[in-house]
Amino acid sequence: MELLTVNQQLTLKSQQVSLTLDPKSVCAGPILISHLYDELFDLLAALGNQTVYLHLDLLLYLQKYYRFKGWRLPDLNFVVLPLGYPFQLADLTIEAFNNDDNAFGSLVCIISDGQSKLGYAPKFVPHGQHKKRIKLWKKAFSQADLDYFCLSQDLVAATNDFRALTEVGRQKSLTKYLQHLEAGQSGQILLSYEKPERILTMQKTALAAGFNLKLAPASQAFLQALFPFEEPVSQTEATRDLVIVSTPSTTAFDARASLAIQPVMAPKEAKEFLNVIKAKEVIYL
């Protein structure tokens, strides 16, 4: 299996197939999408009659998000990868695992052609809200005798003094913001819908602090479609409002999603992580 990296884009070439992982621009052949990223929506619109391999939750997200936005989902051949079971693509074997990068529907995978093995995990949060998922795939990777382990260079901070803001930390920051508002004052929040779990949690955090985060009916329906087993958050229990705004200001709490990969590990933590994986070669994109 030949590994080609061009413009932070990895393509695997075996004897029978060429598979590009998380492409940023149009490419030939099938592609695998492991997580949401900024270029994805434009990419899907520009692709031809190609096969796209992805997580079931990400496919559901795209279906609901495109409908929520009033867009038409591109007519591509979407194929859901099974989690924890080998999937055969020509002479490549793909084993995908549930992941958590604080984005909905992400995965990591081990890809093999019988001669070499690649562990592919470009984006993950080892101390995220679903860190048990990280432990499970990290164990699988460490036992797989990987020839290569691929991750984004942007995951690693430049200094050991780095402290990542976790989702729990973000919720605590929202609580502090609301607690410091003057009596009777409404709060303001900026939101985006690329991280729907965050919006769901923000609603609950606001309500616990005595504020209603009021979502438009279409927004509420979008969240309910993605999380059908979640109880809808009451829109009447709190006495004060947390109003959604579109313009950043010093008085608004910024909870917007950044799909760009942000540092999540200090160099020391990254070294310990890689020592567990035990790949023969580490590839940074």
Side-chain angles (χ1 to χ4, degrees), residues 1-219:
M1 181 169 60
E2 185 180 4
L3 279 61
L4 304 176
T5 56
V6 179
N7 297 328
Q8 295 184 307
Q9 183 171 293
L10 181 63
T11 298
L12 310 181
K13 286 195 172 184
S14 67
Q15 292 184 353
Q16 299 180 12
V17 69
S18 177
L19 176 68
T20 303
L21 310 180
D22 294 318
K24 306 298 189 296
S25 57
V26 175
C27 57
I31 67 173
L32 186 151
I33 303 297
S34 71
H35 64 282
L36 280 171
Y37 50 91
D38 288 322
E39 300 88 349
L40 180 58
F41 300 106
D42 288 339
L43 173 73
L44 293 178
L47 289 175
N49 185 24
Q50 290 171 253
T51 300
V52 180
Y53 298 94
L54 73 176
H55 192 300
L56 173 61
D57 284 348
L58 181 53
L59 177 57
L60 292 175
Y61 172 86
L62 291 173
Q63 291 172 335
K64 306 303 180 185
Y65 186 78
Y66 274 72
R67 180 177 295 180
F68 169 64
K69 287 287 190 178
W71 302 344
R72 183 174 181 272
L73 186 65
D75 187 18
L76 299 168
N77 182 28
F78 291 102
V79 176
V80 171
L81 290 171
L83 299 177
Y85 296 93
F87 175 87
Q88 204 67 36
L89 171 60
D91 57 347
L92 291 180
T93 301
I94 305 172
E95 188 172 4
F97 301 87
N98 216 7
N99 184 33
D100 173 48
D101 60 359
N102 293 305
F104 194 73
S106 65
L107 57 81
V108 300
C109 54
I110 296 174
I111 304 175
S112 171
D113 67 346
Q115 303 298 321
S116 57
K117 286 184 182 179
L118 166 74
Y120 183 70
K123 185 176 180 182
F124 56 90
V125 181
H127 35 69
Q129 62 191 101
H130 297 136
K131 54 189 175 183
K132 289 184 178 179
R133 298 178 185 174
I134 305 296
K135 291 181 179 179
L136 288 173
W137 70 250
K138 186 166 68 171
K139 181 179 179 181
F141 277 37
S142 69
Q143 294 175 345
D145 191 23
L146 296 176
D147 295 286
Y148 309 99
F149 176 59
C150 182
L151 71 162
S152 172
Q153 177 66 63
D154 294 338
L155 286 175
V156 184
T159 171
N160 282 316
D161 294 331
F162 172 77
R163 295 291 183 273
L165 179 63
T166 64
E167 287 300 304
V168 173
R170 199 179 303 273
Q171 301 301 327
K172 289 180 179 179
S173 296
L174 174 61
T175 299
K176 290 180 180 179
Y177 163 78
L178 296 174
Q179 289 173 342
H180 284 86
L181 293 175
E182 296 180 4
Q185 182 182 1
S186 295
Q188 296 182 338
I189 189 169
L190 291 108
L191 293 176
S192 58
Y193 289 83
E194 283 74 21
K195 294 190 178 179
E197 283 183 297
R198 180 182 296 171
I199 299 176
L200 199 66
T201 310
M202 289 282 176
Q203 275 193 298
K204 297 174 182 178
T205 299
L207 190 60
F211 287 78
N212 260 326
L213 171 55
K214 289 189 175 181
L215 297 176
S219 303

Side-chain angles (χ1 to χ4, degrees), residues 237-279:
E237 287 185 17
T239 57
R240 302 163 72 182
D241 289 336
L242 178 56
V243 181
I244 300 171
V245 294
S246 57
T247 305
S249 69
T250 57
T251 58
F253 185 86
D254 195 341
R256 290 173 296 179
S258 172
L259 295 184
I261 297 176
Q262 303 294 325
V264 295
M265 292 188 288
K268 182 179 179 181
E269 183 184 3
K271 182 178 180 180
E272 293 172 351
F273 195 97
L274 295 176
N275 284 340
V276 174
I277 299 296
K278 300 179 294 187

